[in-house]
Amino acid sequence: MEATALSSGLRPLPNPNGYRLPRSCSQRKSLPLARFHSKETPFKKPQGSLAITHHRGLSFKTNVFEQAHHPVAGDLSYDDTSRSNVAEDKIGVLLLNLGGPETLNDVQPFLYNLFADPDIIRLPRPFQFLQGAIAKFISVVRAPKSKEGYAAIGGGSPLRKITDEQADAIRLALQAKNVSADVYVGMRYWFPFTEEAVQQIKKDKITRLVVLPLYPQYSISTTGSSVRVLQDLFRKDPYLARVPVAIIESWYQRRGYVNSMADLIQKELQTFSDPKEVMVFFSAHGVPVSYVENSGDPYQKQMEECIDLIMEELKSRGVQNNHILAYQSRVGPVQWLKPYTDEVLVDLGKHGVKSLLAVPVSFVSEHIETLEEIDMEYRELALESGIENWGRVPALGLTPSFITDLADAVIESLPSAEAMVNPSAGVSEDSESSDAFGYIMKMFFGSVLAFLLLLSPKMFHAFRNHLI
């Protein structure tokens, strides 16, 4: 599944057993794409100025929440001062997303790319050379079940088509605001890969870039992963290393996003016979607890803040429904963020909830987690648990207010763009020698330990049972 294992920081891997390598960008339609630092405008958070946050060596610039009575991000215009700073630049916008298999034959290689990411399957250092072999094993084991899910929604993921449409819509929204920009789409685990988009950005001689991950909340496994890929690509290329780049780290607190989500929820509530009795059920994609507790991932905190902002907006409109947040799409033996969506649905049925409106809060496009997991699996579970009336809010997709707000975020971020990496930074020969020696030692001891572990039938069956 596209988000069953979250995205992280590795390039698409070399062609394993005939898996397709990324096509050149010239073989697909090139879309305008932007990268930026968002001006975020929450409603009740204290005022603040530009803040610097750090995530595992990455530095991002984001604005803290502003009071509701202050001008919201979507109201800001591309003024003459800002325009003069970037007037001579050729602007690019890069939309980042997870990607998904477009046909059933794509499912296994897509899963391979997903699980070959070291931030998805986190191995101890001595075992990291086994990443590819483990990814191959998991992709083979999970492919049949995943194919069933994709077959149920038409034989493939619609994510690429929707993201391309969003790219076009953002380009037009920017154009309407007198900002000319090329918008590109870069997927983490499937075509068009991020590498393809970056190649096209260089070919088009983009001189100022805004990176816009299509994840409202930041996670090291989604935005963090994709940004690490970009850093690696830009560090290795002298031209790209000099390009000013603005990264929009998260944008869940933007007024335009919050209002757009509230609009969709309010509209869907009216489809129930008794809207006031409906439980608003936010279902977000989960992450392993270790991401939050051990790696400082802000995802859970941002998600909870996001729900608070949406509900505050609804209450300001007179919508007083009860709500709850749960996390879906967990996989493997580790503990994920709780409460779990499936368990909460059963609980709500036991406690007499009869009407429920599901809100896929961490997704801005329809894909397998909304179309199959929520619409089919969770709906069936809810009805079996005693919930009689089920509804689901659609993903934001091409909602005009949402697209306009993303365009505004791009414009606001342009003046803050700066070189992503230091082109003068290099790697010393001593460190290269040390890395090579360390790699050899890890290979040797890791091979011995892996061999001993894999001899155990119990280990194999336990591993297999957690993945099917």
Side-chain angles (χ1 to χ4, degrees):
M1 293 186 180
E2 292 152 14
T4 292
L6 300 174
S7 56
S8 263
L10 190 68
R11 300 188 301 277
L13 293 173
N15 187 15
N17 295 338
Y19 295 170
R20 288 187 291 165
L21 291 171
R23 296 169 297 204
S24 68
C25 291
S26 61
Q27 293 176 288
R28 67 175 178 86
K29 180 182 178 182
S30 178
L31 294 172
L33 185 71
R35 157 181 195 157
F36 68 98
H37 294 285
S38 171
K39 273 194 175 180
E40 301 160 343
T41 56
F43 300 86
K44 282 194 172 181
K45 301 291 179 181
Q47 294 185 43
S49 58
L50 195 67
I52 306 295
T53 58
H54 299 276
H55 295 281
R56 300 178 69 182
L58 305 182
S59 176
F60 300 99
K61 295 180 180 177
T62 58
N63 286 18
V64 298
F65 291 133
E66 298 171 1
Q67 297 283 4
H69 62 270
H70 282 227
V72 298
D75 296 335
L76 299 180
S77 61
Y78 191 40
D79 59 27
D80 291 338
T81 301
S82 299
R83 189 187 304 274
S84 64
N85 291 334
V86 295
E88 302 303 319
D89 285 310
K90 185 172 184 182
I91 298 169
V93 177
L94 176 59
L95 302 183
L96 300 176
N97 214 330
L98 188 72
E102 297 174 46
T103 70
L104 296 183
N105 290 333
D106 297 336
V107 171
Q108 185 180 333
F110 166 76
L111 291 175
Y112 175 86
N113 287 340
L114 192 72
F115 290 109
D117 187 329
D119 281 332
I120 298 301
I121 302 296
R122 291 185 163 191
L123 299 176
R125 287 189 176 183
F127 294 95
Q128 288 177 357
F129 74 97
L130 293 172
Q131 193 86 42
I134 291 174
K136 181 64 180 294
F137 172 75
I138 298 175
S139 67
V140 170
V141 170
R142 287 192 62 86
K145 184 177 180 180
S146 293
K147 284 183 179 180
E148 291 177 6
Y150 284 106
I153 63 171
S157 172
L159 191 59
R160 177 178 181 174
K161 178 178 181 294
I162 295 170
T163 307
D164 282 349
E165 291 170 348
Q166 289 171 325
D168 269 334
I170 291 171
R171 176 179 59 81
L172 292 174
L174 289 169
Q175 194 174 77
K177 297 173 181 291
N178 299 317
V179 177
S180 177
D182 291 330
V183 181
Y184 308 85
V185 170
M187 300 295 190
R188 186 65 185 83
Y189 298 116
W190 204 242
F191 302 106
F193 288 114
T194 304
E195 286 83 348
E196 295 182 75
V198 170
Q199 288 172 12
Q200 190 64 43
I201 287 167
K202 181 180 178 182
K203 181 179 179 181
D204 292 342
K205 294 181 171 55
I206 295 299
T207 59
R208 185 173 293 258
L209 182 66
V210 174
V211 176
L212 174 55
L214 292 177
Y215 312 109
Q217 303 82 19
Y218 177 93
S219 174
I220 58 176
S221 58
T222 52
T223 299
S225 167
S226 293
V227 169
R228 285 190 290 276
V229 171
L230 285 175
Q231 281 192 314
D232 187 50
L233 293 170
F234 276 58
R235 183 173 59 249
K236 294 176 180 178
D237 188 286
Y239 173 80
L240 295 172
R242 295 191 298 270
V243 174
V245 177
I247 300 172
I248 302 178
E249 183 184 15
S250 62
W251 38 269
Y252 67 93
Q253 63 275 64
R254 291 186 61 84
R255 176 78 64 86
Y257 168 74
V258 172
N259 285 349
S260 297
M261 288 295 296
D263 290 344
L264 292 178
I265 293 170
Q266 193 171 16
K267 179 180 178 181
E268 289 300 317
L269 284 172
Q270 298 309 309
T271 65
F272 290 83
S273 58
D274 190 356
K276 294 182 179 179
E277 296 301 314
V278 178
M279 171 69 73
V280 179
F281 183 80
F282 292 96
S283 187
H285 199 294
V287 299
V289 171
S290 61
Y291 284 26
V292 177
E293 294 183 351
N294 301 334
S295 302
D297 196 331
Y299 177 77
Q300 182 180 21
K301 181 182 178 183
Q302 291 189 2
M303 182 59 68
E304 292 170 355
E305 289 176 346
C306 176
I307 303 308
D308 288 344
L309 291 171
I310 294 171
M311 291 309 301
E312 286 173 12
E313 173 61 24
L314 286 170
K315 287 176 182 177
S316 73
R317 304 179 184 188
V319 178
Q320 302 293 331
N321 295 61
N322 292 328
H323 74 282
I324 192 168
L325 167 64
Y327 295 92
Q328 67 180 83
S329 306
R330 69 187 187 275
V331 63
V334 300
Q335 185 179 358
W336 287 54
L337 292 180
K338 291 183 177 181
Y340 298 143
T341 292
D342 52 354
E343 294 179 357
V344 172
L345 288 173
V346 173
D347 245 12
L348 291 175
K350 289 179 179 178
H351 284 83
V353 172
K354 297 301 180 184
S355 299
L356 184 143
L357 178 62
V359 184
V361 67
S362 53
F363 311 108
V364 299
S365 306
E366 302 291 357
H367 59 304
I368 196 165
E369 271 78 10
T370 60
L371 300 174
E372 195 271 338
E373 193 170 5
I374 294 179
D375 288 354
M376 299 179 188
E377 294 180 27
Y378 292 147
R379 179 179 182 275
E380 181 180 356
L381 178 61
L383 297 178
E384 289 175 352
S385 301
I387 295 169
E388 298 174 356
N389 307 303
W390 169 274
R392 203 263 284 178
V393 170
L396 285 166
L398 298 175
T399 301
S401 58
F402 168 60
I403 294 296
T404 298
D405 190 59
L406 291 184
D408 286 336
V410 169
I411 292 171
E412 293 158 17
S413 72
L414 285 168
S416 67
E418 57 186 21
M420 197 173 192
V421 294
N422 181 1
S424 63
V427 179
S428 69
E429 293 183 5
D430 288 343
S431 64
E432 288 180 343
S433 300
S434 176
D435 288 344
F437 177 75
Y439 178 75
I440 293 171
M441 296 303 294
K442 290 173 187 176
M443 286 280 287
F444 175 75
F445 288 109
S447 299
V448 174
L449 289 171
F451 178 74
L452 293 174
L453 285 172
L454 293 175
L455 282 178
S456 167
K458 289 183 179 180
M459 173 68 71
F460 175 81
H461 288 300
F463 188 50
R464 186 178 188 274
N465 290 337
H466 278 302
L467 293 171
I468 296 179

PDB file of all heavy atoms in Angstrom, residues 39 147 204 261 353:
ATOM      1  N   LYS A  39       4.159  30.325   5.225  1.00  0.00           N
ATOM      2  CA  LYS A  39       3.733  31.178   6.329  1.00  0.00           C
ATOM      3  C   LYS A  39       2.498  30.534   6.912  1.00  0.00           C
ATOM      4  O   LYS A  39       1.452  30.497   6.293  1.00  0.00           O
ATOM      5  CB  LYS A  39       3.382  32.582   5.839  1.00  0.00           C
ATOM      6  CG  LYS A  39       4.574  33.505   5.768  1.00  0.00           C
ATOM      7  CD  LYS A  39       4.109  34.914   5.612  1.00  0.00           C
ATOM      8  CE  LYS A  39       5.268  35.872   5.654  1.00  0.00           C
ATOM      9  NZ  LYS A  39       4.864  37.254   5.503  1.00  0.00           N
ATOM     10  N   LYS A 147      -2.004  -6.556  -4.031  1.00  0.00           N
ATOM     11  CA  LYS A 147      -2.644  -6.596  -5.353  1.00  0.00           C
ATOM     12  C   LYS A 147      -4.155  -6.684  -5.230  1.00  0.00           C
ATOM     13  O   LYS A 147      -4.895  -6.084  -6.024  1.00  0.00           O
ATOM     14  CB  LYS A 147      -2.105  -7.771  -6.167  1.00  0.00           C
ATOM     15  CG  LYS A 147      -0.718  -7.547  -6.743  1.00  0.00           C
ATOM     16  CD  LYS A 147      -0.280  -8.737  -7.592  1.00  0.00           C
ATOM     17  CE  LYS A 147       1.108  -8.509  -8.187  1.00  0.00           C
ATOM     18  NZ  LYS A 147       1.549  -9.651  -9.018  1.00  0.00           N
ATOM     19  N   ASP A 204      15.745  22.572 -17.277  1.00  0.00           N
ATOM     20  CA  ASP A 204      14.979  23.792 -17.533  1.00  0.00           C
ATOM     21  C   ASP A 204      15.660  25.047 -16.982  1.00  0.00           C
ATOM     22  O   ASP A 204      15.123  26.141 -17.102  1.00  0.00           O
ATOM     23  CB  ASP A 204      13.575  23.666 -16.921  1.00  0.00           C
ATOM     24  CG  ASP A 204      12.726  22.624 -17.622  1.00  0.00           C
ATOM     25  OD1 ASP A 204      13.076  22.248 -18.750  1.00  0.00           O
ATOM     26  OD2 ASP A 204      11.721  22.184 -17.029  1.00  0.00           O
ATOM     27  N   MET A 261     -10.812  22.107   4.865  1.00  0.00           N
ATOM     28  CA  MET A 261     -11.213  20.874   5.546  1.00  0.00           C
ATOM     29  C   MET A 261     -12.557  21.071   6.261  1.00  0.00           C
ATOM     30  O   MET A 261     -13.443  20.203   6.191  1.00  0.00           O
ATOM     31  CB  MET A 261     -10.145  20.460   6.552  1.00  0.00           C
ATOM     32  CG  MET A 261      -8.870  19.926   5.935  1.00  0.00           C
ATOM     33  SD  MET A 261      -9.129  18.367   5.037  1.00  0.00           S
ATOM     34  CE  MET A 261      -9.618  17.272   6.376  1.00  0.00           C
ATOM     35  N   VAL A 353     -22.660   4.545  19.325  1.00  0.00           N
ATOM     36  CA  VAL A 353     -22.589   5.524  18.231  1.00  0.00           C
ATOM     37  C   VAL A 353     -23.254   4.934  16.991  1.00  0.00           C
ATOM     38  O   VAL A 353     -22.918   3.833  16.559  1.00  0.00           O
ATOM     39  CB  VAL A 353     -21.129   5.907  17.924  1.00  0.00           C
ATOM     40  CG1 VAL A 353     -21.044   6.773  16.672  1.00  0.00           C
ATOM     41  CG2 VAL A 353     -20.511   6.635  19.106  1.00  0.00           C
TER      42      VAL A 353
END
